[in-house]
């Protein structure tokens, strides 16, 4: 017993030491330009990758862009590939709890130890490119560029068969666009990040369509006509095949079920029926269709996948922070909707899948978002709202957001709490005061806010 206890203590000490080392590396990388600070060039990432022997060319890639739904779609693609026996790497952002979540191999975040090792492997080459860039009066690699290089290095070293890579921001100039994606998925494109991507759907779509490579297969979610026109034009220029949701493929049927929904999906190879997906909302059904068709295109060239494999893969999918139940009595949901389109989709999904008598919102948004239209989309769903903020310096000031909320909801339905823990307690109290049974709380408006809420509420 003593020996076992001593071994456990040593293991905990080693884990704590590795965690501290990973946190130190993360803190150092955070000192670089943030991931939303775009410098329109791929030169720095390409240069580091070249020095590393182009790790991004050692595996096949499914590349995913769009405004909403990228991470959920990535997780579904990954699940399907793994169920086919392929070794996968997944690169997504942002993370919810630990930075290591951004780089996953075989469905699991890399360990703290491996995170530090990968940084040590790439650091000399990052330093070389940084030094050359600074000598020319140009910026060094950004936070996101460093993480992209680390992901590709980790994937090549594993090694993996297929990478599922989510764009950080936009597409054309995103650091991930040094990959040659055989399949490009474009989830719904809406107005977001206008400061960086453009103020119109055409401008934003042009940036996102920049991930389409010569001869690729493009799996396209239903889009505004302007967006679809841009994507089709770019695909034609590059000799890429476009498969459109609602035209070539379709969600044939979906039924709300306990814990999710049951789908019938028409892919390239046929119709897959009675497929259970443990996620809520029509948008997740369409994300599942995109994922299914991407894997059909990659694995079988468009032929049907084994139905049992599809059922097993989709049945295992999780998407933390996306309409996730994190507590009961009262029920507390969290969802990372952070733009008007996401908030509208969230409202519809909650109304369809849950039977709340009263729902109170806890809402905080980032300063570069559209708070008025986010709140307007949520207003029909929420009896009252508690305005708060995430701890990020990018978060919109509580007083400023509360002023917008009063305009949307009316003064009597708006409450304010500067701290998230107090906001959740207040919302739970208000929900139960308004309706003893069937009430709930929804935390939304920012992925960072949801991440902090999940930690507060004890989610791993």
């Amino acid at each position: 017993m003593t020996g076992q206890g001593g071994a456990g203590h040593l293991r905990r000490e080693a884990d704590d030491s590795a965690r501290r080392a990973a946190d130190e590396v993360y803190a150092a990388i955070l000192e670089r330009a943030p991931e939303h600070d775009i410098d329109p060039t791929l030169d720095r990432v390409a240069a580091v990758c070249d020095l590393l022997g182009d790790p991004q060319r050692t595996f096949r890639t499914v590349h995913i862009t769009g405004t909403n739904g990228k991470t959920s779609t990535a997780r579904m693609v990954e699940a399907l590939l793994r169920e086919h026996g392929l070794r996968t790497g997944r690169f997504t952002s942002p993370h919810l709890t630990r930075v290591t979540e951004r780089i996953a191999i075989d469905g699991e975040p890399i360990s703290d130890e491996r995170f530090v090792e990968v940084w040590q492997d790439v650091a000399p080459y990052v330093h070389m490119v940084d030094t050359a860039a600074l000598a020319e009066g140009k910026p060094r690699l950004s936070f996101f560029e460093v993480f992209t290089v680390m992901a590709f290095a980790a994937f090549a070293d594993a090694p993996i068969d297929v990478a599922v890579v989510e764009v950080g921001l936009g597409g054309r100039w995103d650091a991930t666009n040094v990959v040659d994606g055989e399949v490009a998925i474009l989830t719904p494109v809406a107005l977001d990040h206008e400061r960086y991507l453009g103020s119109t759907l055409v401008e934003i779509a042009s940036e996102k369509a920049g991930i389409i490579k010569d001869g690729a297969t493009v799996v396209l979610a239903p889009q505004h006509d302007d967006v679809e026109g841009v994507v089709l034009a770019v695909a034609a220029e590059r000799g890429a095949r476009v498969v459109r949701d609602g035209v070539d493929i379709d969600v044939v049927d979906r039924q709300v079920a306990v814990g999710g929904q049951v789908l019938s999906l028409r892919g390239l190879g046929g119709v897959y029926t009675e497929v259970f997906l443990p996620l809520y909302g029509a948008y997740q059904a369409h994300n599942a269709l995109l994922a299914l068709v991407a894997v059909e295109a990659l694995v079988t060239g468009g032929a049907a996948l084994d139905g049992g494999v599809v059922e097993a893969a989709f049945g295992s999918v999780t998407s933390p922070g996306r309409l996730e139940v994190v507590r009961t009595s009262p029920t507390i949901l969290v969802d990372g909707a952070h733009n008007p389109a996401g908030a509208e989709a969230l409202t519809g999904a909650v109304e369809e899948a849950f039977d709340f008598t009263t729902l109170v919102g806890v809402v905080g948004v980032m300063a570069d978002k559209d708070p008025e239209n986010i709140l307007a989309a949520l207003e029909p769903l929420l009896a009252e709202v508690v305005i708060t903020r995430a701890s990020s310096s990018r978060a919109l000031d509580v007083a400023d957001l509360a002023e917008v909320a009063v305009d949307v909801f009316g003064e009597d339905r708006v409450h304010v709490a500067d701290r998230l823990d107090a906001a959740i307690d207040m919302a739970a109290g208000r929900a139960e005061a308004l309706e003893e049974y069937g009430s709930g709380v929804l935390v939304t408006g920012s992925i960072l806010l949801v991440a902090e809420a999940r930690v507060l509420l004890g989610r791993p």
Side-chain angles (χ1 to χ4, degrees):
M1 291 294 291
T2 304
Q4 290 177 347
H9 177 71
L10 290 174
R11 181 66 253 176
R12 285 191 297 275
E13 283 191 342
D15 289 345
D16 289 344
S17 177
R19 188 181 184 92
R20 286 192 299 270
D23 287 344
E24 288 173 6
V25 169
Y26 178 43
I29 298 172
L30 273 177
E31 293 177 1
R32 295 170 175 270
E35 51 198 308
H36 59 273
D37 187 2
I38 295 178
D39 179 35
T41 178
L42 298 176
D43 291 349
R44 288 182 298 274
V45 172
V48 179
C49 286
D50 181 62
L51 291 170
L52 289 167
D54 282 326
Q56 79 281 11
R57 305 199 191 286
T58 63
F59 42 78
R60 305 172 76 188
T61 302
V62 176
H63 205 181
I64 305 174
T65 190
T67 301
N68 294 309
K70 296 187 294 295
T71 298
S72 294
T73 304
R75 295 175 76 96
M76 293 185 212
V77 172
E78 175 191 55
L80 285 163
L81 292 169
R82 291 186 63 218
E83 199 65 34
H84 276 87
L86 296 169
R87 194 165 198 207
T88 59
R90 185 185 75 234
F91 182 50
T92 54
S93 60
H95 58 277
L96 284 174
T97 307
R98 293 281 295 160
V99 67
T100 50
E101 296 166 23
R102 293 181 179 233
I103 304 172
I105 294 175
D106 289 335
E108 294 296 330
I110 62 173
S111 67
D112 289 320
E113 294 96 333
R114 186 70 189 123
F115 181 77
V116 174
E117 289 170 358
V118 173
W119 165 244
Q120 291 171 340
D121 288 343
V122 306
Y125 305 101
V126 169
H127 177 70
M128 290 171 63
V129 174
D130 280 345
T131 301
L134 292 171
E136 296 176 5
K138 298 176 181 178
R140 60 181 184 157
L141 273 78
S142 70
F143 166 92
F144 188 72
E145 288 173 328
V146 169
F147 269 103
T148 300
V149 169
M150 289 177 65
F152 295 160
F155 294 165
D157 189 62
I160 64 164
D161 300 308
V162 183
V164 185
V165 177
E166 175 187 330
V167 162
L169 188 62
R172 184 191 314 276
W173 300 115
D174 188 76
T176 63
N177 207 27
V178 296
V179 298
D180 292 321
E182 291 179 53
V183 179
I185 299 177
L186 275 78
T187 69
V189 174
L191 292 174
D192 197 14
H193 298 297
E194 291 99 318
R195 185 185 305 177
Y196 314 107
L197 302 180
S199 58
T200 69
L201 285 176
V202 167
E203 290 173 324
I204 294 171
S206 296
E207 290 301 315
K208 294 184 183 294
I211 72 165
I212 298 172
K213 301 300 193 298
D214 292 346
T217 296
V218 180
V219 187
L220 186 62
Q223 306 285 356
H224 187 281
D225 288 347
D226 288 346
V227 173
E228 185 168 299
V230 169
V231 175
L232 293 178
V234 172
E237 289 175 10
R238 296 178 187 167
R241 175 193 185 192
V242 180
V243 180
R244 290 179 286 175
D245 181 353
V247 178
D248 310 293
I249 57 176
D250 207 359
V251 176
V252 177
D253 185 54
R254 62 182 202 90
Q255 302 291 328
V256 177
V258 176
Q261 53 192 310
V262 177
L263 310 176
S264 291
L265 306 174
R266 177 169 62 90
L268 294 171
V271 178
Y272 304 79
T273 60
E274 299 295 311
V275 178
F276 177 68
L277 180 70
L279 301 173
Y280 302 104
Y283 57 93
Q284 293 289 22
H286 287 274
N287 290 340
L289 178 65
L290 302 181
L292 173 71
V293 171
V295 175
E296 283 183 324
L298 189 79
V299 174
T300 64
L305 305 177
D306 179 87
V309 167
V310 172
E311 289 180 13
F314 280 149
S316 70
V317 167
T318 62
S319 193
R322 278 75 180 176
L323 202 45
E324 178 185 16
V325 178
V326 293
R327 181 170 290 184
T328 56
S329 299
T331 298
I332 300 180
L333 304 173
V334 297
D335 188 89
H338 56 278
N339 52 50
E344 288 176 14
L346 167 62
T347 294
V350 173
E351 290 175 339
E352 176 187 76
F354 296 89
D355 190 24
F356 290 112
T357 53
T358 298
L359 190 63
V360 176
V362 174
V363 179
V365 304
M366 295 294 108
D368 62 343
K369 297 300 180 179
D370 181 358
E372 183 175 4
N373 285 314
I374 291 172
L375 289 166
L378 295 170
E379 189 275 334
L381 182 68
L382 305 177
E384 297 182 359
V385 63
V386 181
I387 298 302
T388 189
R389 58 170 290 160
S391 59
S392 169
S393 60
R394 292 173 50 217
L396 184 61
D397 182 75
V398 171
D400 292 338
L401 182 56
E403 186 176 341
V404 177
V406 168
D407 288 341
V408 174
F409 283 81
E411 190 170 359
D412 292 345
R413 295 168 64 195
V414 177
H415 310 274
V416 174
D418 288 332
R419 287 184 12 223
L420 178 57
D421 55 352
I424 293 173
D425 287 344
M426 183 184 294
R430 290 302 303 156
E432 293 183 325
L434 290 167
E435 192 72 47
E436 185 176 357
Y437 302 105
S439 60
V441 172
L442 171 65
V443 182
T444 191
S446 158
I447 293 175
L448 291 175
L449 189 79
V450 163
E452 292 176 12
R454 292 181 84 255
V455 172
L456 284 171
L457 295 166
R459 303 299 287 187

